[in-house]
Amino acid sequence: MAEEEGAVIELRQRKKPKSSENKESAKEEKINDTPIPERAPKYVLFQRFAKIFIGCLAAVTSGMMYALYLSAYHERKFWFSNRQELEREITFQGDSAIYYSYYKDMLKAPSFERGVYELTHNNKTVSLKTINAVQQMSLYPELIASVLYQATGSNEIIEPVYFYIGIVFGLQGIYVTALFVTSWLMSGTWLAGMLTVAWFIINRVDTTRIEYSIPLRENWALPYFACQVAALTGYLKSNLNTYGERFCYLLMSASTYTFMMMWEYSHYLLFLQAISLFLLDSFSLEQSDKVHEVYKIYIFSLFLGYLLQFENSALLVSPLLSLVVALMLAKCLQVKKGTFIAKIMKVINFYLVCTLTVTLNIIMKMFVPHKEHGHMLKFLEVKFGLNMTKNFTMNWLLCQESLQAPSRAFFLRLTQSSVLPFYTLVLIICFFSMLQVIFRRINLKYLWTPYVCMLAAFGVCSPELWMTLFKWLRLRTVHPVLLALILSMAVPTIIGLSLWKEFFPRLMTELTELQEFYDPDTVELMTWIKRQAPVAAVFAGSPQLMGAIKLCTGWMVTSLPLYNDDDLLKRNENIYQIYSKRSAEDIYKILTSYKTNYLIVEDAICNEVGTTRGCRVKDLLDIANGHVVCEEGDKLTYSKYGRFCHEVKINYSPYVNYFTRVYWNRSYFVYKINTVISFQS
């Protein structure tokens, strides 16, 4: 019967010419009506089981191999196992040193409860300031790591530092596995997962900062976000059975909450995800009930995070909460699907959600006491060219490498590894395909992922995407379905072989080549502090160096390399004035206001030769203090003082009246702040 219908359709197709759209639909109908030879149920089940087993094995193996690779690379880079504890700790730079120092403090505490109390009422880190370090620095990873280290008896097997970095490397393995699974779910083949992992590792310089700063909050949090994306992708699939849907829902709930606890900026990323889901729901591209279940997970995670993060008001005034509440309220106004009124209501619903989100956010900020991070709004204004500033902190943040616009070298690296061309092609196909479907049928498959490697791998390995491309090209010579299946397997195989030939030798060279981290000047400085400085001494210097001093010596400092607190940012700017053209008296007043006992001047900053124009610390200070002309029409403020970091080394009055040099080496000059000032001629 099916064959007869197919024949009739084919006959009508020959007799009567139709529009291109009708031809395509008729061709699709013919393909769908073609009888498929039945396979034995046992063979089908075995084939499905083998596919899932091999895919899962490849995903887990990829994650484990990546974690082992990171561990081996870290050992080769720093000679970690052959160094003393002090030298190991110096490898933690900047804010990484602060995070690891609190992990050490937790291990030294007599009990977990006492350790948590000391961190939440910490007055031994920053002078004249008591902070809740757990809340302000999101130290939940360190709390968990310290508990696991002691509860599992690892203190008898492995050193604390290896246990700590081992957890982070393990999470990176989970990160890669989650990317693998997401690409697999989107494309239907685990070849896409393999290609995703290959591109991710090859381009790891541009995809992760794990090699430079292990304890960064993003390195703890992003693996959970990747798990959340994988669970969300599986949950939104229409052909998922009940047990699979329940598993994805539970995994998504747990990973969403954990991600929110690990990183203070996580709710902004989830806010972007919620906007994507809202747009998909608005165009009826996904099941509305499932999307609203995801909204409930957001609300649950926000309120649970609020309670367990010491009533963190930032979560209550976050745009994510306002958006989700607005979406839930707007749902009450939706009418039955498919009616003319429903289509009109969709347009009204879009504007209603936007208006409610802004209104609710304003109301929440009016009635909920919170600490406004004004510097973040100013930073975004300057970053996007909406404003200009001479402020040292803003310009210093803009000069950080992680916040710089992508360079030509970045695009060149992605092009050489072939990920950028395929990503661009896939993005174009997905974009125009989405527009075509929205305007013609207002229905399409859900696609969302923040990772270039994963989206490119999905497109290359997806037969559906190749079919879309052939449909646009109106390919007639070869059967498009067969050609799509062949290309979805052949292209990733060819790419994989080419990547193996070109990049695998480089990865092996990195593991066999011994590198050396040699910083004797910092080791000598830390040793001097521990032996010569009083226990109650307070040190001042660059925030990055202060983080290392806190970790290696435990002494109190005046500032920290943290950028989420207005007071700490102001402290950093004030302390950095030691590299500006200010008088000895001005610097002395600044330092004594923070009860500083010792000042450390770094030669690398004082004589810095920056690669980025205008991004040297001393240049930013000169602009902020008005000592140089940065824009036409600005007035030049002449400074009669030389640069403090240079002048204080000469040992002449009035500098020797305020500061006494007590230690120096090739990189650092340490000055004691005189408590009794004696002016000399």
Side-chain angles (χ1 to χ4, degrees), residues 322 325-327 329-330 351-361:
S322 302
V325 172
L327 289 167
L329 292 175
Y351 293 101
L352 179 64
V353 169
C354 296
T355 306
L356 277 176
T357 300
V358 176
T359 304
L360 289 172
N361 194 253

Side-chain angles (χ1 to χ4, degrees), residues 171-172 175 178 207 217-228 259 262-263 269 451:
L171 285 174
Q172 299 307 302
Y175 191 3
T207 57
R217 300 301 85 178
E218 64 193 62
N219 293 334
W220 288 89
L222 289 181
Y224 294 103
F225 180 66
C227 291
Q228 192 258 8
F259 174 57
M262 293 292 176
W263 198 18
L269 195 55
Y451 311 108

Side-chain angles (χ1 to χ4, degrees), residues 210-418:
I210 186 67
E211 294 180 12
Y212 310 104
S213 302
I214 294 175
L216 287 180
R217 300 301 85 178
E218 64 193 62
N219 293 334
W220 288 89
L222 289 181
Y224 294 103
F225 180 66
C227 291
Q228 192 258 8
V229 171
L232 179 62
T233 305
Y235 181 71
L236 294 178
K237 289 179 73 70
S238 57
N239 58 346
L240 196 66
N241 58 43
T242 304
Y243 296 104
E245 184 176 307
R246 189 172 302 171
F247 172 77
C248 289
Y249 183 84
L250 293 175
L251 178 59
M252 181 169 50
S253 302
S255 55
T256 301
Y257 169 71
T258 308
F259 174 57
M260 195 170 291
M261 293 292 290
M262 293 292 176
W263 198 18
E264 61 178 320
Y265 300 116
S266 58
H267 56 89
Y268 292 112
L269 195 55
L270 292 174
F271 171 68
L272 297 178
Q273 188 183 75
I275 291 177
S276 302
L277 291 174
F278 165 57
L279 293 176
L280 292 171
D281 188 28
S282 298
F283 292 112
S284 301
L285 307 180
E286 273 302 337
Q287 302 177 46
S288 182
D289 293 339
K290 284 189 174 182
V291 172
H292 281 81
E293 287 298 320
V294 179
Y295 295 157
K296 293 177 183 178
I297 293 176
Y298 290 151
I299 293 180
F300 172 78
S301 299
L302 282 168
F303 281 105
L304 189 59
Y306 167 76
L307 295 175
L308 296 182
Q309 290 184 2
F310 306 92
E311 298 183 355
N312 185 5
S313 58
L315 296 179
L316 294 183
V317 298
S318 68
L320 174 63
L321 180 61
S322 302
L323 174 63
V324 174
V325 172
L327 289 167
M328 300 299 286
L329 292 175
K331 185 185 178 183
C332 301
L333 302 177
Q334 290 183 353
V335 296
K336 189 176 180 181
K337 214 174 189 181
T339 64
F340 176 73
I341 299 178
K343 295 180 180 179
I344 299 177
M345 288 301 298
K346 281 187 177 294
V347 180
I348 299 175
N349 181 71
F350 183 84
Y351 293 101
L352 179 64
V353 169
C354 296
T355 306
L356 277 176
T357 300
V358 176
T359 304
L360 289 172
N361 194 253
I362 294 174
I363 293 174
M364 292 295 287
K365 288 183 176 180
M366 289 175 58
F367 292 98
V368 176
H370 68 287
K371 195 172 184 180
E372 186 71 52
H373 296 301
H375 65 277
M376 290 299 297
L377 297 177
K378 294 178 183 177
F379 169 77
L380 293 175
E381 290 179 0
V382 177
K383 179 66 178 176
F384 293 109
L386 302 176
N387 200 353
M388 297 188 69
T389 182
K390 297 179 183 178
N391 182 270
F392 169 80
T393 302
M394 294 297 105
N395 290 326
W396 186 82
L397 288 173
L398 288 170
C399 284
Q400 299 306 298
E401 184 180 358
S402 58
L403 298 175
Q404 291 286 315
S407 61
R408 291 182 180 179
F410 165 76
F411 293 106
L412 182 61
R413 287 192 298 269
L414 294 187
T415 303
Q416 288 176 341
S417 63
S418 72

Side-chain angles (χ1 to χ4, degrees), residues 460-486:
V460 169
C461 301
S462 174
E464 289 83 2
L465 218 63
W466 287 108
M467 281 290 297
T468 302
L469 179 61
F470 296 152
K471 189 180 294 185
W472 291 353
L473 297 176
R474 300 184 182 279
L475 189 65
R476 297 282 187 252
T477 56
V478 184
H479 200 290
V481 176
L482 179 61
L483 185 60
L485 290 173
I486 294 174

Side-chain angles (χ1 to χ4, degrees), residues 195 198 490-502:
L195 192 56
V491 173
T493 303
I494 295 172
I495 294 173
L497 291 175
S498 63
L499 293 177
W500 177 278
K501 180 180 179 181
E502 183 175 355

Side-chain angles (χ1 to χ4, degrees), residues 563-601:
Y563 316 112
N564 58 355
D565 183 90
D566 292 334
D567 180 61
L568 286 177
L569 286 173
K570 187 63 179 176
R571 281 177 176 242
N572 293 345
E573 182 177 352
N574 289 337
I575 299 300
Y576 266 129
Q577 295 298 323
I578 62 178
Y579 300 104
S580 68
K581 298 177 180 179
R582 300 281 293 271
S583 67
E585 183 180 2
D586 289 345
I587 301 300
Y588 180 82
K589 289 180 179 178
I590 291 173
L591 295 176
T592 53
S593 67
Y594 298 122
K595 302 296 182 182
T596 307
N597 302 115
Y598 291 92
L599 167 66
I600 303 178
V601 176

